[in-house]
Amino acid sequence: MELKPSPAGSNLTQLTSLRFFAAVYVLAFHSVDINGAPHLIANLVKNGYLGVSFFFLLSGFILTHSYVGRMSHWDDVRRFAVARFARIYPVYLLALAVALPLAKGLFDYPLASLATLGLIQAWGAPASLLAFFWNPAGWTLSVEFFFYLMFPLLLPLLSRLTTAALWVGLAAAVSIFAVMCLPGLGPTGYLGFSWMAPMPLPLLRLPEFITGIICALLFRAGALDRFRGDLAAILAAAFTVVSLVATTAATIASFAGIGFVALIATCAVNQGMVRRALSHKPLVLLGNASYALYILQIPVRKWMPVIFSGEWDWIGRLLYQPLLIIISVAFFILLEEPARRFLRGSIPKRASPSIA
């Protein structure tokens, strides 16, 4: 496959902004009271857990855009590993520390604690509640860690495919996760088939990550250029929203996942109003802070009734979401970025990816 040079603005800030909306969507699922809400709004919030699928798809896309052509030697893999560790582990560890004083059973279940520290707590079967241990949101990072281990193997392999083969691969990958309803699968999610029950959860979610990789390779090959117009991105967004408000049936996850694929692809290639709207600096900052927002949401929520107790509990409920966003931005600026720069200091500048 022949790759086009990265176009101007290839840091894809518009996709960074989309991360914020996906994180807020998951946050709404975990924290918004929908009692008495209109039916369609209630459906939208109840489907918020599907935002995780967007993250898995986007992860494959962004990593591929960043590292395509840079994963052929052991040094490349080493630099990738350091960059990934610097990206996720400092804030992940901080979230565990925030949750620590209120967590239960950490010393009663030392192996579960070690598994969580080692990011392998979600590597069991889908029904294993070990994935929710300590900080429940961490299960997705455990799955991402598995993806990171697979990425140096998958990228060189898929990069060898022709554009035609990539389109076939995209259709196959989307068909697999759609038929199996994988976007809705989590530690307590819906199993489309009984044979999936004993399978490792990260392996079951891998088709979404692979779909993101293939989409990025098609993007870099120029195969998505026909979708540059605003109409394509708007239609993709409309299809996604309609899917999310239509029903809360488990099978809707497949349609939402297809919508996420279309949304990522069309926004990535867009050169018009959509790109400009999503590239505003405040939105990009919020997108950069979305990881902290996601991983800190449950630890911070557990602290709110402790800090605002008794007659002040209504203040905690009122302030939770905006305070979490402020905390996330502060953590990104004051901790995540400095820690990331420090840990990546050993990576030669010539090989440092444009996005992480």
Side-chain angles (χ1 to χ4, degrees), residues 295-342:
I295 200 66
L296 287 167
Q297 60 179 308
I298 294 179
V300 170
R301 189 177 69 188
K302 288 183 176 180
W303 274 105
M304 297 307 284
V306 176
I307 298 171
F308 300 98
S309 59
E311 62 181 9
W312 302 104
D313 64 340
W314 66 273
I315 297 180
R317 292 194 301 271
L318 182 66
L319 292 180
Y320 168 58
Q321 287 94 347
L323 187 60
L324 176 62
I325 292 174
I326 293 171
I327 291 172
S328 300
V329 171
F331 275 29
F332 170 73
I333 295 173
L334 301 176
L335 174 71
E336 185 176 344
E337 275 296 277
R340 187 176 167 190
R341 286 194 297 266
F342 174 77

mmCIF file of all heavy atoms in Angstrom, residues 295-342:
data_model
loop_
_atom_site.group_PDB
_atom_site.id
_atom_site.type_symbol
_atom_site.label_atom_id
_atom_site.label_comp_id
_atom_site.label_asym_id
_atom_site.label_seq_id
_atom_site.Cartn_x
_atom_site.Cartn_y
_atom_site.Cartn_z
ATOM 1 N N ILE A 295 -10.901 8.345 33.562
ATOM 2 C CA ILE A 295 -10.355 7.432 34.562
ATOM 3 C C ILE A 295 -10.602 7.921 35.986
ATOM 4 O O ILE A 295 -10.598 7.133 36.941
ATOM 5 C CB ILE A 295 -8.845 7.193 34.307
ATOM 6 C CG1 ILE A 295 -8.367 5.903 34.986
ATOM 7 C CG2 ILE A 295 -8.021 8.382 34.754
ATOM 8 C CD1 ILE A 295 -8.965 4.656 34.421
ATOM 9 N N LEU A 296 -10.839 9.231 36.148
ATOM 10 C CA LEU A 296 -11.076 9.789 37.484
ATOM 11 C C LEU A 296 -12.556 9.881 37.848
ATOM 12 O O LEU A 296 -12.886 10.202 38.995
ATOM 13 C CB LEU A 296 -10.465 11.195 37.581
ATOM 14 C CG LEU A 296 -8.944 11.278 37.670
ATOM 15 C CD1 LEU A 296 -8.489 12.710 37.431
ATOM 16 C CD2 LEU A 296 -8.448 10.785 39.028
ATOM 17 N N GLN A 297 -13.442 9.589 36.921
ATOM 18 C CA GLN A 297 -14.854 9.860 37.155
ATOM 19 C C GLN A 297 -15.420 9.118 38.360
ATOM 20 O O GLN A 297 -16.157 9.703 39.169
ATOM 21 C CB GLN A 297 -15.684 9.542 35.909
ATOM 22 C CG GLN A 297 -15.606 8.089 35.456
ATOM 23 C CD GLN A 297 -16.463 7.814 34.241
ATOM 24 O OE1 GLN A 297 -17.650 8.126 34.223
ATOM 25 N NE2 GLN A 297 -15.870 7.245 33.202
ATOM 26 N N ILE A 298 -15.087 7.862 38.532
ATOM 27 C CA ILE A 298 -15.667 7.094 39.639
ATOM 28 C C ILE A 298 -14.963 7.406 40.970
ATOM 29 O O ILE A 298 -15.644 7.597 41.989
ATOM 30 C CB ILE A 298 -15.667 5.591 39.315
ATOM 31 C CG1 ILE A 298 -16.631 5.341 38.140
ATOM 32 C CG2 ILE A 298 -16.057 4.758 40.532
ATOM 33 C CD1 ILE A 298 -16.716 3.916 37.679
ATOM 34 N N PRO A 299 -13.619 7.486 41.016
ATOM 35 C CA PRO A 299 -12.988 7.902 42.275
ATOM 36 C C PRO A 299 -13.481 9.260 42.770
ATOM 37 O O PRO A 299 -13.768 9.426 43.965
ATOM 38 C CB PRO A 299 -11.494 7.936 41.925
ATOM 39 C CG PRO A 299 -11.339 6.940 40.839
ATOM 40 C CD PRO A 299 -12.602 7.056 40.026
ATOM 41 N N VAL A 300 -13.607 10.233 41.868
ATOM 42 C CA VAL A 300 -14.076 11.559 42.286
ATOM 43 C C VAL A 300 -15.527 11.487 42.752
ATOM 44 O O VAL A 300 -15.907 12.111 43.751
ATOM 45 C CB VAL A 300 -13.924 12.579 41.137
ATOM 46 C CG1 VAL A 300 -14.633 13.895 41.472
ATOM 47 C CG2 VAL A 300 -12.451 12.840 40.848
ATOM 48 N N ARG A 301 -16.347 10.717 42.065
ATOM 49 C CA ARG A 301 -17.755 10.596 42.459
ATOM 50 C C ARG A 301 -17.892 9.991 43.853
ATOM 51 O O ARG A 301 -18.761 10.386 44.633
ATOM 52 C CB ARG A 301 -18.518 9.746 41.444
ATOM 53 C CG ARG A 301 -20.038 9.761 41.670
ATOM 54 C CD ARG A 301 -20.750 8.969 40.603
ATOM 55 N NE ARG A 301 -20.491 7.543 40.730
ATOM 56 C CZ ARG A 301 -20.864 6.638 39.822
ATOM 57 N NH1 ARG A 301 -21.471 7.029 38.717
ATOM 58 N NH2 ARG A 301 -20.613 5.365 40.009
ATOM 59 N N LYS A 302 -17.032 9.038 44.175
ATOM 60 C CA LYS A 302 -17.093 8.418 45.503
ATOM 61 C C LYS A 302 -16.667 9.386 46.602
ATOM 62 O O LYS A 302 -17.109 9.261 47.751
ATOM 63 C CB LYS A 302 -16.212 7.166 45.533
ATOM 64 C CG LYS A 302 -16.789 5.997 44.741
ATOM 65 C CD LYS A 302 -15.917 4.753 44.871
ATOM 66 C CE LYS A 302 -16.549 3.566 44.153
ATOM 67 N NZ LYS A 302 -15.720 2.336 44.263
ATOM 68 N N TRP A 303 -15.828 10.353 46.258
ATOM 69 C CA TRP A 303 -15.387 11.331 47.254
ATOM 70 C C TRP A 303 -16.422 12.426 47.493
ATOM 71 O O TRP A 303 -16.400 13.069 48.552
ATOM 72 C CB TRP A 303 -14.070 11.977 46.814
ATOM 73 C CG TRP A 303 -12.862 11.188 47.228
ATOM 74 C CD1 TRP A 303 -12.069 10.414 46.437
ATOM 75 C CD2 TRP A 303 -12.310 11.106 48.542
ATOM 76 N NE1 TRP A 303 -11.066 9.840 47.157
ATOM 77 C CE2 TRP A 303 -11.174 10.255 48.468
ATOM 78 C CE3 TRP A 303 -12.657 11.654 49.766
ATOM 79 C CZ2 TRP A 303 -10.396 9.953 49.570
ATOM 80 C CZ3 TRP A 303 -11.868 11.350 50.880
ATOM 81 C CH2 TRP A 303 -10.764 10.516 50.771
ATOM 82 N N MET A 304 -17.321 12.662 46.552
ATOM 83 C CA MET A 304 -18.259 13.770 46.687
ATOM 84 C C MET A 304 -19.138 13.671 47.932
ATOM 85 O O MET A 304 -19.264 14.652 48.680
ATOM 86 C CB MET A 304 -19.113 13.898 45.421
ATOM 87 C CG MET A 304 -18.321 14.232 44.169
ATOM 88 S SD MET A 304 -17.240 15.685 44.322
ATOM 89 C CE MET A 304 -18.440 16.994 44.225
ATOM 90 N N PRO A 305 -19.766 12.519 48.235
ATOM 91 C CA PRO A 305 -20.580 12.448 49.462
ATOM 92 C C PRO A 305 -19.748 12.478 50.739
ATOM 93 O O PRO A 305 -20.288 12.741 51.822
ATOM 94 C CB PRO A 305 -21.329 11.119 49.312
ATOM 95 C CG PRO A 305 -20.514 10.313 48.372
ATOM 96 C CD PRO A 305 -19.890 11.286 47.429
ATOM 97 N N VAL A 306 -18.450 12.202 50.619
ATOM 98 C CA VAL A 306 -17.573 12.298 51.789
ATOM 99 C C VAL A 306 -17.276 13.766 52.091
ATOM 100 O O VAL A 306 -17.306 14.207 53.250
ATOM 101 C CB VAL A 306 -16.260 11.524 51.551
ATOM 102 C CG1 VAL A 306 -15.301 11.714 52.729
ATOM 103 C CG2 VAL A 306 -16.552 10.043 51.335
ATOM 104 N N ILE A 307 -17.012 14.529 51.034
ATOM 105 C CA ILE A 307 -16.691 15.947 51.190
ATOM 106 C C ILE A 307 -17.948 16.763 51.455
ATOM 107 O O ILE A 307 -17.970 17.647 52.323
ATOM 108 C CB ILE A 307 -15.968 16.467 49.936
ATOM 109 C CG1 ILE A 307 -14.640 15.721 49.738
ATOM 110 C CG2 ILE A 307 -15.718 17.971 50.032
ATOM 111 C CD1 ILE A 307 -13.966 16.009 48.421
ATOM 112 N N PHE A 308 -19.006 16.459 50.719
ATOM 113 C CA PHE A 308 -20.278 17.177 50.884
ATOM 114 C C PHE A 308 -21.295 16.215 51.500
ATOM 115 O O PHE A 308 -22.090 15.597 50.792
ATOM 116 C CB PHE A 308 -20.779 17.692 49.532
ATOM 117 C CG PHE A 308 -19.840 18.629 48.842
ATOM 118 C CD1 PHE A 308 -18.981 18.162 47.856
ATOM 119 C CD2 PHE A 308 -19.800 19.975 49.180
ATOM 120 C CE1 PHE A 308 -18.102 19.019 47.206
ATOM 121 C CE2 PHE A 308 -18.924 20.846 48.542
ATOM 122 C CZ PHE A 308 -18.069 20.373 47.563
ATOM 123 N N SER A 309 -21.262 16.079 52.781
ATOM 124 C CA SER A 309 -22.119 15.114 53.469
ATOM 125 C C SER A 309 -23.315 15.804 54.125
ATOM 126 O O SER A 309 -23.368 17.036 54.236
ATOM 127 C CB SER A 309 -21.313 14.364 54.538
ATOM 128 O OG SER A 309 -20.762 15.271 55.481
ATOM 129 N N GLY A 310 -24.260 14.985 54.553
ATOM 130 C CA GLY A 310 -25.415 15.507 55.275
ATOM 131 C C GLY A 310 -26.235 16.473 54.437
ATOM 132 O O GLY A 310 -26.584 16.197 53.290
ATOM 133 N N GLU A 311 -26.510 17.631 55.007
ATOM 134 C CA GLU A 311 -27.367 18.606 54.331
ATOM 135 C C GLU A 311 -26.679 19.262 53.141
ATOM 136 O O GLU A 311 -27.309 19.986 52.375
ATOM 137 C CB GLU A 311 -27.807 19.684 55.317
ATOM 138 C CG GLU A 311 -26.656 20.492 55.914
ATOM 139 C CD GLU A 311 -27.132 21.532 56.914
ATOM 140 O OE1 GLU A 311 -28.316 21.515 57.269
ATOM 141 O OE2 GLU A 311 -26.301 22.356 57.335
ATOM 142 N N TRP A 312 -25.385 19.015 52.987
ATOM 143 C CA TRP A 312 -24.637 19.594 51.864
ATOM 144 C C TRP A 312 -24.512 18.625 50.684
ATOM 145 O O TRP A 312 -23.865 18.957 49.689
ATOM 146 C CB TRP A 312 -23.241 20.005 52.323
ATOM 147 C CG TRP A 312 -23.239 20.984 53.451
ATOM 148 C CD1 TRP A 312 -22.963 20.733 54.757
ATOM 149 C CD2 TRP A 312 -23.543 22.382 53.365
ATOM 150 N NE1 TRP A 312 -23.069 21.864 55.512
ATOM 151 C CE2 TRP A 312 -23.426 22.906 54.681
ATOM 152 C CE3 TRP A 312 -23.903 23.247 52.331
ATOM 153 C CZ2 TRP A 312 -23.661 24.243 54.972
ATOM 154 C CZ3 TRP A 312 -24.131 24.578 52.614
ATOM 155 C CH2 TRP A 312 -24.013 25.066 53.915
ATOM 156 N N ASP A 313 -25.117 17.454 50.768
ATOM 157 C CA ASP A 313 -24.931 16.464 49.716
ATOM 158 C C ASP A 313 -25.457 16.945 48.362
ATOM 159 O O ASP A 313 -24.941 16.569 47.309
ATOM 160 C CB ASP A 313 -25.566 15.133 50.090
ATOM 161 C CG ASP A 313 -27.083 15.226 50.233
ATOM 162 O OD1 ASP A 313 -27.601 16.342 50.427
ATOM 163 O OD2 ASP A 313 -27.737 14.167 50.153
ATOM 164 N N TRP A 314 -26.471 17.822 48.369
ATOM 165 C CA TRP A 314 -27.006 18.334 47.107
ATOM 166 C C TRP A 314 -25.960 19.171 46.371
ATOM 167 O O TRP A 314 -25.950 19.210 45.130
ATOM 168 C CB TRP A 314 -28.265 19.165 47.362
ATOM 169 C CG TRP A 314 -28.031 20.437 48.137
ATOM 170 C CD1 TRP A 314 -28.018 20.596 49.486
ATOM 171 C CD2 TRP A 314 -27.749 21.730 47.577
ATOM 172 N NE1 TRP A 314 -27.753 21.897 49.832
ATOM 173 C CE2 TRP A 314 -27.587 22.619 48.674
ATOM 174 C CE3 TRP A 314 -27.632 22.222 46.281
ATOM 175 C CZ2 TRP A 314 -27.303 23.974 48.496
ATOM 176 C CZ3 TRP A 314 -27.348 23.571 46.096
ATOM 177 C CH2 TRP A 314 -27.182 24.430 47.192
ATOM 178 N N ILE A 315 -25.073 19.809 47.126
ATOM 179 C CA ILE A 315 -24.012 20.585 46.483
ATOM 180 C C ILE A 315 -23.048 19.643 45.756
ATOM 181 O O ILE A 315 -22.596 19.937 44.639
ATOM 182 C CB ILE A 315 -23.255 21.436 47.529
ATOM 183 C CG1 ILE A 315 -24.197 22.455 48.168
ATOM 184 C CG2 ILE A 315 -22.054 22.132 46.890
ATOM 185 C CD1 ILE A 315 -23.541 23.330 49.210
ATOM 186 N N GLY A 316 -22.737 18.528 46.387
ATOM 187 C CA GLY A 316 -21.868 17.549 45.746
ATOM 188 C C GLY A 316 -22.468 17.013 44.459
ATOM 189 O O GLY A 316 -21.762 16.873 43.445
ATOM 190 N N ARG A 317 -23.771 16.724 44.485
ATOM 191 C CA ARG A 317 -24.426 16.225 43.269
ATOM 192 C C ARG A 317 -24.435 17.291 42.180
ATOM 193 O O ARG A 317 -24.281 16.994 40.996
ATOM 194 C CB ARG A 317 -25.855 15.785 43.587
ATOM 195 C CG ARG A 317 -25.937 14.551 44.482
ATOM 196 C CD ARG A 317 -27.339 13.970 44.478
ATOM 197 N NE ARG A 317 -28.333 14.937 44.942
ATOM 198 C CZ ARG A 317 -28.693 15.100 46.208
ATOM 199 N NH1 ARG A 317 -28.122 14.351 47.148
ATOM 200 N NH2 ARG A 317 -29.612 15.991 46.542
ATOM 201 N N LEU A 318 -24.606 18.540 42.572
ATOM 202 C CA LEU A 318 -24.654 19.636 41.611
ATOM 203 C C LEU A 318 -23.287 19.910 40.987
ATOM 204 O O LEU A 318 -23.170 20.202 39.790
ATOM 205 C CB LEU A 318 -25.179 20.901 42.301
ATOM 206 C CG LEU A 318 -25.333 22.157 41.432
ATOM 207 C CD1 LEU A 318 -26.420 21.944 40.384
ATOM 208 C CD2 LEU A 318 -25.650 23.372 42.302
ATOM 209 N N LEU A 319 -22.244 19.809 41.803
ATOM 210 C CA LEU A 319 -20.909 20.194 41.357
ATOM 211 C C LEU A 319 -20.113 19.054 40.726
ATOM 212 O O LEU A 319 -19.061 19.304 40.125
ATOM 213 C CB LEU A 319 -20.105 20.757 42.547
ATOM 214 C CG LEU A 319 -20.560 22.080 43.140
ATOM 215 C CD1 LEU A 319 -19.642 22.476 44.291
ATOM 216 C CD2 LEU A 319 -20.563 23.177 42.068
ATOM 217 N N TYR A 320 -20.583 17.822 40.855
ATOM 218 C CA TYR A 320 -19.766 16.675 40.463
ATOM 219 C C TYR A 320 -19.242 16.776 39.034
ATOM 220 O O TYR A 320 -18.027 16.739 38.798
ATOM 221 C CB TYR A 320 -20.550 15.377 40.650
ATOM 222 C CG TYR A 320 -19.906 14.183 40.005
ATOM 223 C CD1 TYR A 320 -18.601 13.797 40.345
ATOM 224 C CD2 TYR A 320 -20.576 13.433 39.033
ATOM 225 C CE1 TYR A 320 -17.999 12.703 39.746
ATOM 226 C CE2 TYR A 320 -19.989 12.343 38.435
ATOM 227 C CZ TYR A 320 -18.695 11.986 38.790
ATOM 228 O OH TYR A 320 -18.102 10.908 38.194
ATOM 229 N N GLN A 321 -20.126 16.906 38.037
ATOM 230 C CA GLN A 321 -19.670 16.908 36.648
ATOM 231 C C GLN A 321 -18.771 18.103 36.318
ATOM 232 O O GLN A 321 -17.667 17.894 35.781
ATOM 233 C CB GLN A 321 -20.860 16.853 35.674
ATOM 234 C CG GLN A 321 -21.548 15.510 35.604
ATOM 235 C CD GLN A 321 -22.734 15.431 36.540
ATOM 236 O OE1 GLN A 321 -22.904 16.283 37.423
ATOM 237 N NE2 GLN A 321 -23.578 14.422 36.348
ATOM 238 N N PRO A 322 -19.184 19.348 36.625
ATOM 239 C CA PRO A 322 -18.274 20.466 36.285
ATOM 240 C C PRO A 322 -16.964 20.415 37.064
ATOM 241 O O PRO A 322 -15.903 20.755 36.516
ATOM 242 C CB PRO A 322 -19.088 21.716 36.652
ATOM 243 C CG PRO A 322 -20.183 21.241 37.526
ATOM 244 C CD PRO A 322 -20.471 19.839 37.137
ATOM 245 N N LEU A 323 -17.014 19.977 38.327
ATOM 246 C CA LEU A 323 -15.791 19.886 39.114
ATOM 247 C C LEU A 323 -14.859 18.815 38.550
ATOM 248 O O LEU A 323 -13.629 19.000 38.503
ATOM 249 C CB LEU A 323 -16.131 19.577 40.577
ATOM 250 C CG LEU A 323 -14.966 19.608 41.567
ATOM 251 C CD1 LEU A 323 -14.314 20.980 41.600
ATOM 252 C CD2 LEU A 323 -15.456 19.213 42.965
ATOM 253 N N LEU A 324 -15.427 17.717 38.100
ATOM 254 C CA LEU A 324 -14.618 16.659 37.498
ATOM 255 C C LEU A 324 -13.910 17.160 36.246
ATOM 256 O O LEU A 324 -12.734 16.852 36.024
ATOM 257 C CB LEU A 324 -15.498 15.455 37.156
ATOM 258 C CG LEU A 324 -14.814 14.295 36.426
ATOM 259 C CD1 LEU A 324 -13.699 13.687 37.282
ATOM 260 C CD2 LEU A 324 -15.838 13.228 36.028
ATOM 261 N N ILE A 325 -14.597 17.931 35.429
ATOM 262 C CA ILE A 325 -13.982 18.477 34.216
ATOM 263 C C ILE A 325 -12.831 19.412 34.577
ATOM 264 O O ILE A 325 -11.748 19.355 33.981
ATOM 265 C CB ILE A 325 -15.039 19.200 33.359
ATOM 266 C CG1 ILE A 325 -16.041 18.177 32.795
ATOM 267 C CG2 ILE A 325 -14.368 19.970 32.218
ATOM 268 C CD1 ILE A 325 -17.209 18.797 32.067
ATOM 269 N N ILE A 326 -13.053 20.264 35.573
ATOM 270 C CA ILE A 326 -11.989 21.186 36.012
ATOM 271 C C ILE A 326 -10.793 20.408 36.548
ATOM 272 O O ILE A 326 -9.632 20.710 36.224
ATOM 273 C CB ILE A 326 -12.542 22.155 37.079
ATOM 274 C CG1 ILE A 326 -13.583 23.088 36.460
ATOM 275 C CG2 ILE A 326 -11.403 22.969 37.707
ATOM 276 C CD1 ILE A 326 -14.333 23.923 37.473
ATOM 277 N N ILE A 327 -11.047 19.409 37.374
ATOM 278 C CA ILE A 327 -9.973 18.581 37.924
ATOM 279 C C ILE A 327 -9.205 17.888 36.798
ATOM 280 O O ILE A 327 -7.965 17.813 36.814
ATOM 281 C CB ILE A 327 -10.540 17.545 38.911
ATOM 282 C CG1 ILE A 327 -11.053 18.232 40.171
ATOM 283 C CG2 ILE A 327 -9.487 16.494 39.266
ATOM 284 C CD1 ILE A 327 -11.804 17.298 41.117
ATOM 285 N N SER A 328 -9.919 17.397 35.806
ATOM 286 C CA SER A 328 -9.286 16.679 34.701
ATOM 287 C C SER A 328 -8.364 17.590 33.901
ATOM 288 O O SER A 328 -7.252 17.196 33.533
ATOM 289 C CB SER A 328 -10.360 16.079 33.784
ATOM 290 O OG SER A 328 -11.175 15.182 34.494
ATOM 291 N N VAL A 329 -8.825 18.805 33.634
ATOM 292 C CA VAL A 329 -7.990 19.755 32.904
ATOM 293 C C VAL A 329 -6.746 20.102 33.724
ATOM 294 O O VAL A 329 -5.628 20.166 33.195
ATOM 295 C CB VAL A 329 -8.785 21.033 32.562
ATOM 296 C CG1 VAL A 329 -7.862 22.109 31.999
ATOM 297 C CG2 VAL A 329 -9.902 20.714 31.572
ATOM 298 N N ALA A 330 -6.947 20.289 35.033
ATOM 299 C CA ALA A 330 -5.814 20.613 35.905
ATOM 300 C C ALA A 330 -4.815 19.454 35.936
ATOM 301 O O ALA A 330 -3.594 19.678 35.867
ATOM 302 C CB ALA A 330 -6.317 20.925 37.315
ATOM 303 N N PHE A 331 -5.317 18.235 36.018
ATOM 304 C CA PHE A 331 -4.424 17.080 36.043
ATOM 305 C C PHE A 331 -3.672 16.943 34.732
ATOM 306 O O PHE A 331 -2.492 16.576 34.715
ATOM 307 C CB PHE A 331 -5.225 15.808 36.320
ATOM 308 C CG PHE A 331 -5.451 15.547 37.780
ATOM 309 C CD1 PHE A 331 -5.524 16.583 38.695
ATOM 310 C CD2 PHE A 331 -5.601 14.255 38.257
ATOM 311 C CE1 PHE A 331 -5.741 16.364 40.031
ATOM 312 C CE2 PHE A 331 -5.806 14.013 39.600
ATOM 313 C CZ PHE A 331 -5.884 15.067 40.495
ATOM 314 N N PHE A 332 -4.361 17.236 33.622
ATOM 315 C CA PHE A 332 -3.695 17.140 32.327
ATOM 316 C C PHE A 332 -2.542 18.141 32.233
ATOM 317 O O PHE A 332 -1.435 17.799 31.808
ATOM 318 C CB PHE A 332 -4.697 17.392 31.195
ATOM 319 C CG PHE A 332 -4.041 17.549 29.852
ATOM 320 C CD1 PHE A 332 -3.514 16.451 29.190
ATOM 321 C CD2 PHE A 332 -3.920 18.798 29.256
ATOM 322 C CE1 PHE A 332 -2.889 16.597 27.962
ATOM 323 C CE2 PHE A 332 -3.297 18.949 28.028
ATOM 324 C CZ PHE A 332 -2.783 17.844 27.378
ATOM 325 N N ILE A 333 -2.797 19.370 32.646
ATOM 326 C CA ILE A 333 -1.790 20.430 32.530
ATOM 327 C C ILE A 333 -0.661 20.262 33.537
ATOM 328 O O ILE A 333 0.527 20.412 33.198
ATOM 329 C CB ILE A 333 -2.454 21.816 32.697
ATOM 330 C CG1 ILE A 333 -3.426 22.078 31.543
ATOM 331 C CG2 ILE A 333 -1.404 22.922 32.770
ATOM 332 C CD1 ILE A 333 -4.256 23.340 31.711
ATOM 333 N N LEU A 334 -1.008 19.930 34.779
ATOM 334 C CA LEU A 334 -0.030 19.938 35.866
ATOM 335 C C LEU A 334 0.650 18.594 36.101
ATOM 336 O O LEU A 334 1.750 18.561 36.655
ATOM 337 C CB LEU A 334 -0.716 20.388 37.166
ATOM 338 C CG LEU A 334 -1.354 21.781 37.135
ATOM 339 C CD1 LEU A 334 -2.071 22.060 38.452
ATOM 340 C CD2 LEU A 334 -0.301 22.846 36.859
ATOM 341 N N LEU A 335 0.012 17.494 35.678
ATOM 342 C CA LEU A 335 0.589 16.177 35.952
ATOM 343 C C LEU A 335 0.813 15.373 34.686
ATOM 344 O O LEU A 335 1.934 14.934 34.413
ATOM 345 C CB LEU A 335 -0.302 15.389 36.907
ATOM 346 C CG LEU A 335 0.149 13.942 37.130
ATOM 347 C CD1 LEU A 335 1.426 13.899 37.965
ATOM 348 C CD2 LEU A 335 -0.943 13.108 37.787
ATOM 349 N N GLU A 336 -0.253 15.179 33.915
ATOM 350 C CA GLU A 336 -0.162 14.265 32.783
ATOM 351 C C GLU A 336 0.891 14.698 31.768
ATOM 352 O O GLU A 336 1.757 13.895 31.386
ATOM 353 C CB GLU A 336 -1.536 14.147 32.109
ATOM 354 C CG GLU A 336 -1.573 13.117 30.988
ATOM 355 C CD GLU A 336 -2.963 12.943 30.412
ATOM 356 O OE1 GLU A 336 -3.944 13.368 31.058
ATOM 357 O OE2 GLU A 336 -3.066 12.386 29.305
ATOM 358 N N GLU A 337 0.842 15.939 31.329
ATOM 359 C CA GLU A 337 1.801 16.400 30.335
ATOM 360 C C GLU A 337 3.232 16.452 30.876
ATOM 361 O O GLU A 337 4.154 15.984 30.206
ATOM 362 C CB GLU A 337 1.376 17.771 29.798
ATOM 363 C CG GLU A 337 0.375 17.692 28.668
ATOM 364 C CD GLU A 337 0.951 17.012 27.440
ATOM 365 O OE1 GLU A 337 1.639 17.674 26.649
ATOM 366 O OE2 GLU A 337 0.716 15.796 27.285
ATOM 367 N N PRO A 338 3.467 17.011 32.071
ATOM 368 C CA PRO A 338 4.846 16.986 32.593
ATOM 369 C C PRO A 338 5.385 15.565 32.778
ATOM 370 O O PRO A 338 6.545 15.293 32.436
ATOM 371 C CB PRO A 338 4.720 17.711 33.942
ATOM 372 C CG PRO A 338 3.536 18.606 33.782
ATOM 373 C CD PRO A 338 2.580 17.839 32.926
ATOM 374 N N ALA A 339 4.562 14.662 33.308
ATOM 375 C CA ALA A 339 5.016 13.280 33.493
ATOM 376 C C ALA A 339 5.298 12.621 32.152
ATOM 377 O O ALA A 339 6.268 11.869 31.999
ATOM 378 C CB ALA A 339 3.958 12.485 34.261
ATOM 379 N N ARG A 340 4.467 12.921 31.192
ATOM 380 C CA ARG A 340 4.651 12.356 29.863
ATOM 381 C C ARG A 340 5.949 12.835 29.232
ATOM 382 O O ARG A 340 6.710 12.046 28.649
ATOM 383 C CB ARG A 340 3.442 12.755 29.021
ATOM 384 C CG ARG A 340 3.362 12.138 27.643
ATOM 385 C CD ARG A 340 2.055 12.583 27.052
ATOM 386 N NE ARG A 340 1.974 12.310 25.647
ATOM 387 C CZ ARG A 340 1.006 12.779 24.873
ATOM 388 N NH1 ARG A 340 0.081 13.547 25.404
ATOM 389 N NH2 ARG A 340 0.965 12.493 23.599
ATOM 390 N N ARG A 341 6.219 14.135 29.335
ATOM 391 C CA ARG A 341 7.467 14.672 28.771
ATOM 392 C C ARG A 341 8.682 14.075 29.467
ATOM 393 O O ARG A 341 9.692 13.760 28.827
ATOM 394 C CB ARG A 341 7.469 16.193 28.887
ATOM 395 C CG ARG A 341 6.547 16.895 27.907
ATOM 396 C CD ARG A 341 6.845 18.385 27.834
ATOM 397 N NE ARG A 341 6.597 19.039 29.120
ATOM 398 C CZ ARG A 341 5.465 19.624 29.437
ATOM 399 N NH1 ARG A 341 4.445 19.614 28.591
ATOM 400 N NH2 ARG A 341 5.313 20.215 30.612
ATOM 401 N N PHE A 342 8.566 13.913 30.786
ATOM 402 C CA PHE A 342 9.688 13.361 31.542
ATOM 403 C C PHE A 342 9.975 11.915 31.140
ATOM 404 O O PHE A 342 11.129 11.537 30.887
ATOM 405 C CB PHE A 342 9.382 13.438 33.038
ATOM 406 C CG PHE A 342 10.411 12.769 33.901
ATOM 407 C CD1 PHE A 342 11.632 13.381 34.158
ATOM 408 C CD2 PHE A 342 10.165 11.518 34.457
ATOM 409 C CE1 PHE A 342 12.591 12.752 34.947
ATOM 410 C CE2 PHE A 342 11.114 10.886 35.241
ATOM 411 C CZ PHE A 342 12.336 11.508 35.486
#
